Amino acid sequence: MIQNVTILGATGTIGLQTLDVMSQHPERFRAFALTANANVQKLFELCEAYSPQYAVMLQEAAAAQLEVKLKAIGSATKVLQGIEALNEVAAHKQVHVVMAAIVGAAGLHPAMAAAKAGKRILLANKETLVMAGNLFMQAVAEGGATLLPIDSEHNAIFQVMPQQRAEHLSDMGVKRVLLTASGGPFKNSRMEELHSVTKAQALNHPNWVMGPKITIDSATMMNKGLEVIEAHWLFNAAPEQIDVVVHPQSIIHSMVEYIDGSVLAQLGNPDMRTPIAYGLGYPDRLQSGVSSLDLLKIGHLDFFSPDQARFPCLRLAYDALKVGGTAPAILNAVNEVAVEAFLAEKIGFMEIAATIESVLNSASIEQVVSVEQLVATDAEARRMAAHCLS
Ligand code: NAD
Ligand code: MG
């Protein structure tokens, strides 16, 4: 049976790579709905190429423009607009698979909608788990959804965990998980240099081509911090059971250590089409277009421990996880505001971590009870961050 796929964030780097893998298997997958924030031209081109049933734009004016352009070419794609429409195409009864690849907190609502509707969710949007891990995992369980992590580290861990899942890692003989980190473009930079690095330098990731927000997160290592929180929820791992290892080649995507001393790793070229193909095909393996790993050419694999003094974001994320409640949602919201300010060249690189720390120190942390509460927490944290930066 052909699978109908909704891609939330179709115009982004993950969205486009998902379409690349799907188009290698036209007998298995069809684009049912493609969504974007405001990039009319890109979504128009995707509609021309893939003829989805629905195209959704968050912005009203963008949706109107897209509709005009699609009418002009006689396209049958229906254009919808707004957050409700994103939720609708994520939960639509004809949809089998939802790729959650919106960037940031904006991805939370449609990912929740897909979980409640019991879809196969390919989760790239790690911010959903950082903000609302307990509520999202509960919605997945109650909705009967299948959750497949797409973040390369978590996809790697998923691949090397026992097939028979138990509630606790110890019941599966697992001692800890090891998340690998590339270290980003500044892994060898001195502290004094980090204060004055430019936007262009921070956007120049050594191994991965990604959207701007996650690329800056990789440079500050907040990306790894968010991934520690993501791993906590996905694998029910305590903070002490999650370690980070800097591995500059990004060939080992992550590892699981068992109590008998075995360490299982998943390796491959740094290309997101591997985890995407794994998520789309699971439990089958699909061709992804990724080239074979040439270990002889790579020659050696290196490992370092992360420097939390130069990369305080990693420590802040561990601390937020340990504090729990709304702390990770606040961390995430302030990070989004600070990264935006850095990308707008309004603040320096090290001010990203400083802003997060300052807001976390003064915000009140609550138990998480509802998505509405998290939305309010997110908004308040953004206000505090903006105030801090003004
Ligand atoms: P991107 O910036 O390239 O694309 C983001 C997509 O989200 C675009 O389609 C954009 O139109 C849409 N979008 C942005 N803001 C929106 C909003 N407010 N409402 C609705 N849609 C909105 O980002 P990306 O690199 O593809 O990353 C997407 C997600 O996947 C992020 O959460 C990121 O952390 C995660 N991820 C990405 C990679 C990667 O290699 N790019 C790897 C692991 C995880
Ligand atoms: Mg990752």
Side-chain angles (χ1 to χ4, degrees), residues 8-15 17 35-39 57-59 83 86 100-104 106-107 123-127 150-153 208-215 217 223 226-227 230 272:
L8 302 165
T11 55
T13 50
I14 293 288
Q17 291 178 91
T35 86
N37 181 25
N39 190 338
M57 303 222 71
L58 184 72
Q59 309 291 333
I83 293 178
L86 291 175
I102 289 174
V103 60
L123 188 71
N125 177 257
K126 64 193 83 185
E127 294 91 345
I150 296 303
D151 213 346
S152 57
E153 297 76 5
W208 299 94
V209 179
M210 307 181 287
K213 192 262 180 180
I214 181 176
T215 305
D217 285 348
N223 184 49
L226 300 179
E227 290 182 357
E230 184 183 12
M272 288 306 290

Side-chain angles (χ1 to χ4, degrees), residues 86-141:
L86 291 175
N87 297 342
E88 217 174 283
V89 296
H92 197 289
K93 62 178 186 311
Q94 281 174 265
V95 168
H96 306 100
V97 180
V98 175
M99 165 54 85
I102 289 174
V103 60
L108 174 63
H109 281 107
M112 283 296 276
K116 287 181 184 158
K119 303 303 182 193
R120 169 183 289 224
I121 305 171
L122 275 46
L123 188 71
N125 177 257
K126 64 193 83 185
E127 294 91 345
T128 286
L129 281 172
V130 173
M131 282 181 80
N134 62 341
L135 300 176
F136 183 71
M137 294 308 284
Q138 200 182 328
V140 165

Side-chain angles (χ1 to χ4, degrees), residues 152-153 156 179-185 187 205-210 218 223-224 227 245-254 266-272 274 293 295 298 300-304:
S152 57
E153 297 76 5
L179 293 174
T180 51
S182 70
K187 60 181 174 295
H205 196 278
N207 306 349
W208 299 94
V209 179
M210 307 181 287
S218 299
N223 184 49
K224 213 48 53 182
E227 290 182 357
V245 182
V246 177
H247 163 45
Q249 291 88 356
S250 296
I251 296 299
I252 295 181
H253 297 308
S254 277
Q266 185 259 357
L267 286 74
N269 285 320
D271 187 322
M272 288 306 290
T274 296
L293 181 62
L295 282 172
I298 294 157
H300 59 96
L301 301 176
D302 299 314
F303 305 97
F304 306 96

Side-chain angles (χ1 to χ4, degrees), residues 3 20 46 52 54 62 73 88 107 116 121 160 177 191 197 210 225 244 271 286 322 325 342 368-369:
Q3 306 260 301
D20 178 329
L46 296 181
Y54 294 100
I73 59 159
E88 217 174 283
K116 287 181 184 158
I121 305 171
V160 296
V177 298
M191 187 68 139
V197 295
M210 307 181 287
V244 172
D271 187 322
L286 303 180
K322 286 176 193 157
F342 175 74
V368 173
V369 291

